[in-house]
Amino acid sequence: MQDYLKERLLVHNNGLVSGGEFFHIRCCAQILNLIVQEGLKVVGPVVNKIRENIKYFKGLEGRMKAFKAFVAKVGGINTKIGLRLDVITGWNSTFLMVESALEYRRVFCSLAIEDRSYSSCPTYGE
């Protein structure tokens, strides 16, 4: 398809630089990845804040126990999803991390009130 398009552009428009030698079409997966990466730049600070929150609780066993206790106290949370931390280079894992953080957002808010050392709770807008 790329060869066909290149030929048509050369014949009808004669507008390809260097006779089309550097003509390139990106695949759909590459385009999707570029779109997502640009979107992540916009929400980057919020994603980093969510990442740091999850690291805070997963970093120490005592904090994770407190987190689980608040999950039970708040109630109504689907715990099967788990508290997920992403792999920074994989945007699909970032999506899963944000999805899990949304499930636990009421727990984060409750802990922000109870735990004085927990100071980076995402705001409602975030």
Side-chain angles (χ1 to χ4, degrees), residues 68-99:
K68 288 178 180 178
F70 268 89
V71 169
K73 184 178 177 180
V74 169
I77 294 174
N78 178 9
T79 57
K80 290 180 184 177
I81 195 168
L83 193 57
R84 298 177 179 165
L85 186 60
D86 70 336
V87 177
I88 296 173
T89 56
W91 61 261
N92 56 333
S93 70
T94 301
F95 170 80
L96 295 172
M97 177 187 71
V98 171
E99 181 182 50

PDB file of all heavy atoms in Angstrom, residues 68-99:
ATOM      1  N   LYS A  68      -4.701  -1.667  53.935  1.00  0.00           N
ATOM      2  CA  LYS A  68      -5.698  -2.743  53.865  1.00  0.00           C
ATOM      3  C   LYS A  68      -6.768  -2.582  54.950  1.00  0.00           C
ATOM      4  O   LYS A  68      -7.943  -2.870  54.708  1.00  0.00           O
ATOM      5  CB  LYS A  68      -5.022  -4.104  53.976  1.00  0.00           C
ATOM      6  CG  LYS A  68      -4.241  -4.460  52.727  1.00  0.00           C
ATOM      7  CD  LYS A  68      -3.534  -5.800  52.871  1.00  0.00           C
ATOM      8  CE  LYS A  68      -2.767  -6.135  51.600  1.00  0.00           C
ATOM      9  NZ  LYS A  68      -2.031  -7.388  51.688  1.00  0.00           N
ATOM     10  N   ALA A  69      -6.368  -2.108  56.114  1.00  0.00           N
ATOM     11  CA  ALA A  69      -7.335  -1.864  57.183  1.00  0.00           C
ATOM     12  C   ALA A  69      -8.318  -0.771  56.770  1.00  0.00           C
ATOM     13  O   ALA A  69      -9.528  -0.879  57.029  1.00  0.00           O
ATOM     14  CB  ALA A  69      -6.615  -1.484  58.476  1.00  0.00           C
ATOM     15  N   PHE A  70      -7.825   0.270  56.123  1.00  0.00           N
ATOM     16  CA  PHE A  70      -8.711   1.335  55.659  1.00  0.00           C
ATOM     17  C   PHE A  70      -9.600   0.872  54.512  1.00  0.00           C
ATOM     18  O   PHE A  70     -10.719   1.340  54.366  1.00  0.00           O
ATOM     19  CB  PHE A  70      -7.913   2.578  55.269  1.00  0.00           C
ATOM     20  CG  PHE A  70      -7.771   3.542  56.403  1.00  0.00           C
ATOM     21  CD1 PHE A  70      -6.711   3.443  57.284  1.00  0.00           C
ATOM     22  CD2 PHE A  70      -8.711   4.534  56.604  1.00  0.00           C
ATOM     23  CE1 PHE A  70      -6.587   4.320  58.345  1.00  0.00           C
ATOM     24  CE2 PHE A  70      -8.601   5.425  57.649  1.00  0.00           C
ATOM     25  CZ  PHE A  70      -7.539   5.314  58.526  1.00  0.00           C
ATOM     26  N   VAL A  71      -9.104  -0.042  53.699  1.00  0.00           N
ATOM     27  CA  VAL A  71      -9.935  -0.604  52.631  1.00  0.00           C
ATOM     28  C   VAL A  71     -11.151  -1.275  53.251  1.00  0.00           C
ATOM     29  O   VAL A  71     -12.292  -1.075  52.812  1.00  0.00           O
ATOM     30  CB  VAL A  71      -9.138  -1.602  51.752  1.00  0.00           C
ATOM     31  CG1 VAL A  71     -10.065  -2.380  50.830  1.00  0.00           C
ATOM     32  CG2 VAL A  71      -8.084  -0.872  50.940  1.00  0.00           C
ATOM     33  N   ALA A  72     -10.918  -2.052  54.302  1.00  0.00           N
ATOM     34  CA  ALA A  72     -12.025  -2.731  54.989  1.00  0.00           C
ATOM     35  C   ALA A  72     -12.943  -1.724  55.672  1.00  0.00           C
ATOM     36  O   ALA A  72     -14.169  -1.871  55.650  1.00  0.00           O
ATOM     37  CB  ALA A  72     -11.463  -3.726  56.002  1.00  0.00           C
ATOM     38  N   LYS A  73     -12.351  -0.693  56.278  1.00  0.00           N
ATOM     39  CA  LYS A  73     -13.132   0.323  56.982  1.00  0.00           C
ATOM     40  C   LYS A  73     -14.021   1.116  56.032  1.00  0.00           C
ATOM     41  O   LYS A  73     -15.196   1.362  56.315  1.00  0.00           O
ATOM     42  CB  LYS A  73     -12.173   1.269  57.721  1.00  0.00           C
ATOM     43  CG  LYS A  73     -12.839   2.314  58.564  1.00  0.00           C
ATOM     44  CD  LYS A  73     -11.783   3.145  59.277  1.00  0.00           C
ATOM     45  CE  LYS A  73     -12.397   4.255  60.090  1.00  0.00           C
ATOM     46  NZ  LYS A  73     -11.368   5.070  60.776  1.00  0.00           N
ATOM     47  N   VAL A  74     -13.469   1.524  54.894  1.00  0.00           N
ATOM     48  CA  VAL A  74     -14.231   2.299  53.918  1.00  0.00           C
ATOM     49  C   VAL A  74     -15.309   1.427  53.281  1.00  0.00           C
ATOM     50  O   VAL A  74     -16.438   1.852  53.101  1.00  0.00           O
ATOM     51  CB  VAL A  74     -13.284   2.905  52.851  1.00  0.00           C
ATOM     52  CG1 VAL A  74     -14.057   3.490  51.697  1.00  0.00           C
ATOM     53  CG2 VAL A  74     -12.385   3.949  53.483  1.00  0.00           C
ATOM     54  N   GLY A  75     -14.947   0.201  52.931  1.00  0.00           N
ATOM     55  CA  GLY A  75     -15.905  -0.752  52.354  1.00  0.00           C
ATOM     56  C   GLY A  75     -16.337  -0.403  50.937  1.00  0.00           C
ATOM     57  O   GLY A  75     -16.128   0.697  50.447  1.00  0.00           O
ATOM     58  N   GLY A  76     -16.936  -1.382  50.292  1.00  0.00           N
ATOM     59  CA  GLY A  76     -17.471  -1.179  48.947  1.00  0.00           C
ATOM     60  C   GLY A  76     -16.421  -1.047  47.861  1.00  0.00           C
ATOM     61  O   GLY A  76     -16.689  -0.496  46.800  1.00  0.00           O
ATOM     62  N   ILE A  77     -15.236  -1.563  48.114  1.00  0.00           N
ATOM     63  CA  ILE A  77     -14.145  -1.443  47.143  1.00  0.00           C
ATOM     64  C   ILE A  77     -13.832  -2.819  46.577  1.00  0.00           C
ATOM     65  O   ILE A  77     -13.707  -3.796  47.319  1.00  0.00           O
ATOM     66  CB  ILE A  77     -12.896  -0.826  47.792  1.00  0.00           C
ATOM     67  CG1 ILE A  77     -13.210   0.621  48.186  1.00  0.00           C
ATOM     68  CG2 ILE A  77     -11.702  -0.890  46.862  1.00  0.00           C
ATOM     69  CD1 ILE A  77     -12.144   1.304  48.960  1.00  0.00           C
ATOM     70  N   ASN A  78     -13.719  -2.879  45.266  1.00  0.00           N
ATOM     71  CA  ASN A  78     -13.371  -4.126  44.592  1.00  0.00           C
ATOM     72  C   ASN A  78     -11.881  -4.385  44.789  1.00  0.00           C
ATOM     73  O   ASN A  78     -11.042  -3.831  44.091  1.00  0.00           O
ATOM     74  CB  ASN A  78     -13.710  -4.024  43.099  1.00  0.00           C
ATOM     75  CG  ASN A  78     -13.320  -5.265  42.325  1.00  0.00           C
ATOM     76  OD1 ASN A  78     -12.949  -6.291  42.895  1.00  0.00           O
ATOM     77  ND2 ASN A  78     -13.411  -5.181  41.022  1.00  0.00           N
ATOM     78  N   THR A  79     -11.558  -5.232  45.755  1.00  0.00           N
ATOM     79  CA  THR A  79     -10.147  -5.487  46.085  1.00  0.00           C
ATOM     80  C   THR A  79      -9.475  -6.449  45.121  1.00  0.00           C
ATOM     81  O   THR A  79      -8.259  -6.623  45.183  1.00  0.00           O
ATOM     82  CB  THR A  79     -10.027  -6.028  47.524  1.00  0.00           C
ATOM     83  OG1 THR A  79     -10.825  -7.205  47.635  1.00  0.00           O
ATOM     84  CG2 THR A  79     -10.475  -5.001  48.532  1.00  0.00           C
ATOM     85  N   LYS A  80     -10.238  -7.048  44.234  1.00  0.00           N
ATOM     86  CA  LYS A  80      -9.631  -7.970  43.262  1.00  0.00           C
ATOM     87  C   LYS A  80      -8.689  -7.248  42.317  1.00  0.00           C
ATOM     88  O   LYS A  80      -7.737  -7.828  41.815  1.00  0.00           O
ATOM     89  CB  LYS A  80     -10.726  -8.680  42.452  1.00  0.00           C
ATOM     90  CG  LYS A  80     -11.511  -9.676  43.257  1.00  0.00           C
ATOM     91  CD  LYS A  80     -12.563 -10.341  42.404  1.00  0.00           C
ATOM     92  CE  LYS A  80     -13.401 -11.280  43.274  1.00  0.00           C
ATOM     93  NZ  LYS A  80     -14.481 -11.897  42.500  1.00  0.00           N
ATOM     94  N   ILE A  81      -8.954  -5.977  42.071  1.00  0.00           N
ATOM     95  CA  ILE A  81      -8.112  -5.208  41.150  1.00  0.00           C
ATOM     96  C   ILE A  81      -6.727  -4.967  41.742  1.00  0.00           C
ATOM     97  O   ILE A  81      -5.746  -4.873  41.022  1.00  0.00           O
ATOM     98  CB  ILE A  81      -8.804  -3.883  40.742  1.00  0.00           C
ATOM     99  CG1 ILE A  81      -8.120  -3.270  39.539  1.00  0.00           C
ATOM    100  CG2 ILE A  81      -8.843  -2.899  41.879  1.00  0.00           C
ATOM    101  CD1 ILE A  81      -8.881  -2.134  38.908  1.00  0.00           C
ATOM    102  N   GLY A  82      -6.616  -4.884  43.052  1.00  0.00           N
ATOM    103  CA  GLY A  82      -5.330  -4.673  43.699  1.00  0.00           C
ATOM    104  C   GLY A  82      -4.795  -3.268  43.495  1.00  0.00           C
ATOM    105  O   GLY A  82      -5.281  -2.516  42.659  1.00  0.00           O
ATOM    106  N   LEU A  83      -3.798  -2.936  44.267  1.00  0.00           N
ATOM    107  CA  LEU A  83      -3.121  -1.647  44.151  1.00  0.00           C
ATOM    108  C   LEU A  83      -1.928  -1.869  43.235  1.00  0.00           C
ATOM    109  O   LEU A  83      -0.971  -2.539  43.602  1.00  0.00           O
ATOM    110  CB  LEU A  83      -2.681  -1.157  45.528  1.00  0.00           C
ATOM    111  CG  LEU A  83      -2.243   0.280  45.661  1.00  0.00           C
ATOM    112  CD1 LEU A  83      -3.332   1.234  45.192  1.00  0.00           C
ATOM    113  CD2 LEU A  83      -1.871   0.582  47.090  1.00  0.00           C
ATOM    114  N   ARG A  84      -1.985  -1.341  42.037  1.00  0.00           N
ATOM    115  CA  ARG A  84      -0.989  -1.646  41.005  1.00  0.00           C
ATOM    116  C   ARG A  84      -0.014  -0.493  40.801  1.00  0.00           C
ATOM    117  O   ARG A  84      -0.416   0.659  40.781  1.00  0.00           O
ATOM    118  CB  ARG A  84      -1.680  -1.930  39.678  1.00  0.00           C
ATOM    119  CG  ARG A  84      -2.581  -3.118  39.713  1.00  0.00           C
ATOM    120  CD  ARG A  84      -3.277  -3.265  38.384  1.00  0.00           C
ATOM    121  NE  ARG A  84      -4.149  -4.436  38.405  1.00  0.00           N
ATOM    122  CZ  ARG A  84      -5.078  -4.654  37.504  1.00  0.00           C
ATOM    123  NH1 ARG A  84      -5.263  -3.810  36.509  1.00  0.00           N
ATOM    124  NH2 ARG A  84      -5.827  -5.727  37.570  1.00  0.00           N
ATOM    125  N   LEU A  85       1.237  -0.864  40.624  1.00  0.00           N
ATOM    126  CA  LEU A  85       2.268   0.101  40.277  1.00  0.00           C
ATOM    127  C   LEU A  85       2.671  -0.155  38.830  1.00  0.00           C
ATOM    128  O   LEU A  85       2.802  -1.301  38.413  1.00  0.00           O
ATOM    129  CB  LEU A  85       3.477  -0.066  41.197  1.00  0.00           C
ATOM    130  CG  LEU A  85       4.594   0.954  41.059  1.00  0.00           C
ATOM    131  CD1 LEU A  85       4.090   2.372  41.336  1.00  0.00           C
ATOM    132  CD2 LEU A  85       5.733   0.619  41.999  1.00  0.00           C
ATOM    133  N   ASP A  86       2.857   0.908  38.082  1.00  0.00           N
ATOM    134  CA  ASP A  86       3.156   0.737  36.658  1.00  0.00           C
ATOM    135  C   ASP A  86       4.631   0.531  36.377  1.00  0.00           C
ATOM    136  O   ASP A  86       5.483   0.695  37.243  1.00  0.00           O
ATOM    137  CB  ASP A  86       2.646   1.941  35.867  1.00  0.00           C
ATOM    138  CG  ASP A  86       3.431   3.224  36.131  1.00  0.00           C
ATOM    139  OD1 ASP A  86       4.060   3.341  37.201  1.00  0.00           O
ATOM    140  OD2 ASP A  86       3.392   4.113  35.275  1.00  0.00           O
ATOM    141  N   VAL A  87       4.902   0.141  35.155  1.00  0.00           N
ATOM    142  CA  VAL A  87       6.248   0.139  34.593  1.00  0.00           C
ATOM    143  C   VAL A  87       6.278   1.401  33.743  1.00  0.00           C
ATOM    144  O   VAL A  87       5.503   1.525  32.790  1.00  0.00           O
ATOM    145  CB  VAL A  87       6.481  -1.117  33.727  1.00  0.00           C
ATOM    146  CG1 VAL A  87       7.856  -1.080  33.088  1.00  0.00           C
ATOM    147  CG2 VAL A  87       6.276  -2.378  34.538  1.00  0.00           C
ATOM    148  N   ILE A  88       7.127   2.329  34.078  1.00  0.00           N
ATOM    149  CA  ILE A  88       7.092   3.664  33.492  1.00  0.00           C
ATOM    150  C   ILE A  88       7.152   3.642  31.963  1.00  0.00           C
ATOM    151  O   ILE A  88       6.549   4.465  31.299  1.00  0.00           O
ATOM    152  CB  ILE A  88       8.210   4.547  34.082  1.00  0.00           C
ATOM    153  CG1 ILE A  88       7.959   4.752  35.571  1.00  0.00           C
ATOM    154  CG2 ILE A  88       8.302   5.886  33.382  1.00  0.00           C
ATOM    155  CD1 ILE A  88       9.061   5.462  36.295  1.00  0.00           C
ATOM    156  N   THR A  89       7.854   2.691  31.399  1.00  0.00           N
ATOM    157  CA  THR A  89       8.007   2.650  29.939  1.00  0.00           C
ATOM    158  C   THR A  89       6.815   2.033  29.227  1.00  0.00           C
ATOM    159  O   THR A  89       6.742   2.079  28.001  1.00  0.00           O
ATOM    160  CB  THR A  89       9.265   1.862  29.554  1.00  0.00           C
ATOM    161  OG1 THR A  89       9.189   0.551  30.124  1.00  0.00           O
ATOM    162  CG2 THR A  89      10.515   2.570  30.024  1.00  0.00           C
ATOM    163  N   GLY A  90       5.868   1.466  29.953  1.00  0.00           N
ATOM    164  CA  GLY A  90       4.706   0.838  29.327  1.00  0.00           C
ATOM    165  C   GLY A  90       3.425   1.580  29.655  1.00  0.00           C
ATOM    166  O   GLY A  90       2.934   1.500  30.776  1.00  0.00           O
ATOM    167  N   TRP A  91       2.883   2.310  28.694  1.00  0.00           N
ATOM    168  CA  TRP A  91       1.696   3.121  28.981  1.00  0.00           C
ATOM    169  C   TRP A  91       0.490   2.275  29.329  1.00  0.00           C
ATOM    170  O   TRP A  91      -0.395   2.732  30.042  1.00  0.00           O
ATOM    171  CB  TRP A  91       1.407   4.112  27.860  1.00  0.00           C
ATOM    172  CG  TRP A  91       1.124   3.525  26.505  1.00  0.00           C
ATOM    173  CD1 TRP A  91       2.010   3.399  25.478  1.00  0.00           C
ATOM    174  CD2 TRP A  91      -0.115   3.012  26.021  1.00  0.00           C
ATOM    175  NE1 TRP A  91       1.401   2.829  24.396  1.00  0.00           N
ATOM    176  CE2 TRP A  91       0.086   2.582  24.694  1.00  0.00           C
ATOM    177  CE3 TRP A  91      -1.388   2.869  26.582  1.00  0.00           C
ATOM    178  CZ2 TRP A  91      -0.922   2.022  23.925  1.00  0.00           C
ATOM    179  CZ3 TRP A  91      -2.400   2.312  25.801  1.00  0.00           C
ATOM    180  CH2 TRP A  91      -2.163   1.894  24.498  1.00  0.00           C
ATOM    181  N   ASN A  92       0.438   1.039  28.856  1.00  0.00           N
ATOM    182  CA  ASN A  92      -0.700   0.202  29.224  1.00  0.00           C
ATOM    183  C   ASN A  92      -0.678  -0.112  30.723  1.00  0.00           C
ATOM    184  O   ASN A  92      -1.719  -0.176  31.364  1.00  0.00           O
ATOM    185  CB  ASN A  92      -0.741  -1.076  28.385  1.00  0.00           C
ATOM    186  CG  ASN A  92       0.545  -1.874  28.475  1.00  0.00           C
ATOM    187  OD1 ASN A  92       1.621  -1.337  28.713  1.00  0.00           O
ATOM    188  ND2 ASN A  92       0.441  -3.165  28.282  1.00  0.00           N
ATOM    189  N   SER A  93       0.505  -0.279  31.295  1.00  0.00           N
ATOM    190  CA  SER A  93       0.585  -0.516  32.738  1.00  0.00           C
ATOM    191  C   SER A  93       0.265   0.760  33.507  1.00  0.00           C
ATOM    192  O   SER A  93      -0.251   0.699  34.621  1.00  0.00           O
ATOM    193  CB  SER A  93       1.956  -1.073  33.136  1.00  0.00           C
ATOM    194  OG  SER A  93       2.965  -0.098  32.995  1.00  0.00           O
ATOM    195  N   THR A  94       0.543   1.919  32.922  1.00  0.00           N
ATOM    196  CA  THR A  94       0.166   3.182  33.551  1.00  0.00           C
ATOM    197  C   THR A  94      -1.347   3.294  33.609  1.00  0.00           C
ATOM    198  O   THR A  94      -1.915   3.728  34.615  1.00  0.00           O
ATOM    199  CB  THR A  94       0.774   4.377  32.788  1.00  0.00           C
ATOM    200  OG1 THR A  94       2.197   4.227  32.777  1.00  0.00           O
ATOM    201  CG2 THR A  94       0.408   5.695  33.431  1.00  0.00           C
ATOM    202  N   PHE A  95      -2.019   2.883  32.555  1.00  0.00           N
ATOM    203  CA  PHE A  95      -3.483   2.865  32.556  1.00  0.00           C
ATOM    204  C   PHE A  95      -4.000   1.973  33.677  1.00  0.00           C
ATOM    205  O   PHE A  95      -4.917   2.358  34.419  1.00  0.00           O
ATOM    206  CB  PHE A  95      -4.024   2.372  31.205  1.00  0.00           C
ATOM    207  CG  PHE A  95      -5.498   2.105  31.229  1.00  0.00           C
ATOM    208  CD1 PHE A  95      -6.402   3.141  31.122  1.00  0.00           C
ATOM    209  CD2 PHE A  95      -5.984   0.810  31.391  1.00  0.00           C
ATOM    210  CE1 PHE A  95      -7.770   2.910  31.166  1.00  0.00           C
ATOM    211  CE2 PHE A  95      -7.350   0.563  31.435  1.00  0.00           C
ATOM    212  CZ  PHE A  95      -8.242   1.613  31.325  1.00  0.00           C
ATOM    213  N   LEU A  96      -3.425   0.785  33.836  1.00  0.00           N
ATOM    214  CA  LEU A  96      -3.871  -0.138  34.886  1.00  0.00           C
ATOM    215  C   LEU A  96      -3.608   0.434  36.280  1.00  0.00           C
ATOM    216  O   LEU A  96      -4.412   0.245  37.193  1.00  0.00           O
ATOM    217  CB  LEU A  96      -3.189  -1.500  34.716  1.00  0.00           C
ATOM    218  CG  LEU A  96      -3.562  -2.262  33.443  1.00  0.00           C
ATOM    219  CD1 LEU A  96      -2.682  -3.500  33.288  1.00  0.00           C
ATOM    220  CD2 LEU A  96      -5.033  -2.629  33.421  1.00  0.00           C
ATOM    221  N   MET A  97      -2.500   1.155  36.436  1.00  0.00           N
ATOM    222  CA  MET A  97      -2.200   1.777  37.727  1.00  0.00           C
ATOM    223  C   MET A  97      -3.237   2.850  38.058  1.00  0.00           C
ATOM    224  O   MET A  97      -3.760   2.894  39.180  1.00  0.00           O
ATOM    225  CB  MET A  97      -0.797   2.396  37.697  1.00  0.00           C
ATOM    226  CG  MET A  97      -0.438   3.128  38.984  1.00  0.00           C
ATOM    227  SD  MET A  97       1.124   4.016  38.886  1.00  0.00           S
ATOM    228  CE  MET A  97       0.695   5.372  37.788  1.00  0.00           C
ATOM    229  N   VAL A  98      -3.547   3.712  37.085  1.00  0.00           N
ATOM    230  CA  VAL A  98      -4.533   4.771  37.313  1.00  0.00           C
ATOM    231  C   VAL A  98      -5.901   4.161  37.576  1.00  0.00           C
ATOM    232  O   VAL A  98      -6.640   4.617  38.463  1.00  0.00           O
ATOM    233  CB  VAL A  98      -4.565   5.751  36.118  1.00  0.00           C
ATOM    234  CG1 VAL A  98      -5.721   6.725  36.230  1.00  0.00           C
ATOM    235  CG2 VAL A  98      -3.241   6.504  36.018  1.00  0.00           C
ATOM    236  N   GLU A  99      -6.237   3.116  36.850  1.00  0.00           N
ATOM    237  CA  GLU A  99      -7.514   2.426  37.058  1.00  0.00           C
ATOM    238  C   GLU A  99      -7.618   1.894  38.486  1.00  0.00           C
ATOM    239  O   GLU A  99      -8.648   2.059  39.147  1.00  0.00           O
ATOM    240  CB  GLU A  99      -7.648   1.285  36.053  1.00  0.00           C
ATOM    241  CG  GLU A  99      -8.933   0.503  36.156  1.00  0.00           C
ATOM    242  CD  GLU A  99      -8.979  -0.633  35.161  1.00  0.00           C
ATOM    243  OE1 GLU A  99      -8.013  -1.425  35.079  1.00  0.00           O
ATOM    244  OE2 GLU A  99     -10.002  -0.735  34.468  1.00  0.00           O
TER     245      GLU A  99
END
